[in-house]
Amino acid sequence: MKTIRLILTVIFTYFLFRYFVIYEVMPKYDFRASVDLAAKKLLDHLKPGDIKTLILGDSALQSGLIPENISPGTYNFSTYAADPRLMLHEYKKIMQKNQRPLTCLITGTFYTYELRYVDDLFFKVHFFFDYYDWSEAVQMYNESKREGTFPARDLSPLEYYLKLTAAKLKFYGLGFSQLQSALWKVPGSYPMQRVSEISYATRGFAPIERKRFDDGLNDKYFAREFNPELTFDLYLNRLIEEGASAGAKVIFVMLPVYLGPGSEREAKYLNDLEKFMTAKQSRL
């Protein structure tokens, strides 16, 4: 009897903690979560045929394009740290809402995704924010094993499922600063509440300070050459094919990047990226 009571207590405590993290801590104290909450709300309230132009990409496009400046039927469903696989996943979810966008704008700020795949950002975002449910996460690993892509290419089943479980249970990926703010902050002002409201009202635009956006965008091009690896290339092709087969016009978007003095590496990166994108565009 004591064992059953202990198990029930642990389960109750976990779900209480999970609710606290997802609905009380993150949307109010974390920029990514507040924008993500707005995106989920947008998706739930879509009516068939609402989306005429769909924006898909990472945070650069999320904060770089304002839907209402493009057209009344434009929606921005870009996500932080997105890769082409997540973009394809989000596209399919949107299509399930009886949407048939005529145009898809895909971000062109693809910086070295191989770095993203081997670091913990993948788990701290893709699974922590529940973009994939448990069955989809299992399917992803099995599929990557057959294709020789990330994550099976880089992680053993044990490593993958341990990180996946920790992220899905919210024990991995929550920054101490967010938890501390929720526990000890004086009640009354939630700095990210307004961000979520703006993002919902503007159909997915993520408002961010100009300097923070510029610094983040330019940082993407430092240190390494543009070298799209297999996982990136494979799912980018599938995303293009999926959009084209649904009758959408797929357009690559490259946001302006300021190149200061001594930025030869960044210029080379952008030139290589442009060549890569031009080759992709010619296949559409």
Side-chain angles (χ1 to χ4, degrees):
M1 193 66 182
K2 288 184 179 179
T3 303
I4 294 176
R5 191 181 301 125
L6 178 60
I7 293 173
L8 291 175
T9 302
V10 170
I11 293 174
F12 174 78
T13 303
Y14 161 68
F15 279 103
L16 185 64
F17 172 77
R18 179 183 171 85
Y19 177 89
F20 179 68
V21 168
I22 296 175
Y23 298 105
E24 295 299 325
V25 180
M26 300 304 292
K28 296 174 181 177
Y29 300 102
D30 184 85
F31 181 85
R32 299 169 301 170
S34 61
V35 174
D36 179 62
L37 185 67
K40 289 177 179 175
K41 186 178 175 183
L42 269 177
L43 191 61
D44 289 340
H45 288 81
L46 281 176
K47 299 183 182 67
D50 275 352
I51 301 179
K52 302 296 187 293
T53 300
L54 173 64
I55 302 172
L56 286 173
D58 59 14
S59 56
L61 215 60
Q62 192 179 50
S63 297
L65 288 182
I66 304 176
E68 58 189 9
N69 289 349
I70 299 175
S71 72
T74 298
Y75 286 77
N76 192 341
F77 279 96
S78 301
T79 52
Y80 178 74
D83 68 337
R85 175 162 44 198
L86 179 56
M87 290 160 60
L88 176 61
H89 183 69
E90 293 297 293
Y91 178 80
K92 289 180 177 179
K93 282 201 301 188
I94 291 166
M95 295 294 279
Q96 289 171 359
K97 292 284 185 177
N98 292 318
Q99 303 299 318
R100 292 294 182 270
L102 303 175
T103 306
C104 290
L105 304 181
I106 301 176
T107 185
T109 57
F110 299 128
Y111 73 106
T112 47
Y113 274 92
E114 61 270 27
L115 295 179
R116 181 169 294 170
Y117 288 140
V118 297
D119 69 20
D120 290 340
L121 185 61
F122 180 85
F123 293 91
K124 290 180 178 178
V125 175
H126 293 205
F127 295 135
F128 183 87
F129 288 107
D130 294 316
Y131 292 128
Y132 300 93
D133 62 28
W134 288 97
S135 62
E136 289 167 341
V138 172
Q139 181 182 345
M140 178 195 296
Y141 190 84
N142 293 335
E143 187 177 85
S144 69
K145 184 182 290 186
R146 292 193 302 270
E147 295 169 340
T149 57
F150 177 87
R153 180 196 61 201
D154 304 287
L155 299 171
S156 69
L158 179 61
E159 291 175 306
Y160 175 78
Y161 286 111
L162 280 177
K163 287 189 174 185
L164 166 65
T165 302
K168 293 290 283 182
L169 295 181
K170 312 305 176 196
F171 297 135
Y172 178 70
L174 177 65
F176 176 77
S177 59
Q178 284 86 36
L179 187 58
Q180 175 268 322
S181 296
L183 292 173
W184 296 299
K185 187 179 178 66
V186 176
S189 82
Y190 298 136
M192 291 301 148
Q193 194 70 39
R194 183 62 182 148
V195 169
S196 187
E197 292 169 359
I198 293 173
S199 185
Y200 179 79
T202 55
R203 301 192 299 277
F205 169 67
I208 193 172
E209 300 91 345
R210 174 64 183 271
K211 185 178 185 309
R212 182 180 170 190
F213 176 75
D214 288 346
D215 290 346
L217 185 59
N218 286 319
D219 282 348
K220 291 174 186 272
Y221 303 104
F222 291 169
R224 299 190 67 169
E225 297 180 352
F226 177 71
N227 182 28
E229 54 87 71
L230 178 60
T231 312
F232 167 90
D233 196 42
L234 179 67
Y235 284 92
L236 180 59
N237 289 337
R238 289 181 181 175
L239 176 61
I240 293 170
E241 292 165 2
E242 191 82 20
S245 66
K249 183 177 182 181
V250 181
I251 301 174
F252 291 111
V253 178
M254 186 68 196
L255 297 179
V257 178
Y258 170 72
L259 298 176
S263 56
E264 292 81 6
R265 282 185 306 182
E266 290 89 327
K268 183 179 185 308
Y269 178 97
L270 293 174
N271 288 333
D272 292 343
L273 173 60
E274 182 179 7
K275 292 176 184 176
F276 176 79
M277 290 302 182
T278 301
K280 292 283 184 191
Q281 190 78 50
S282 66
R283 292 169 47 187
L284 300 179

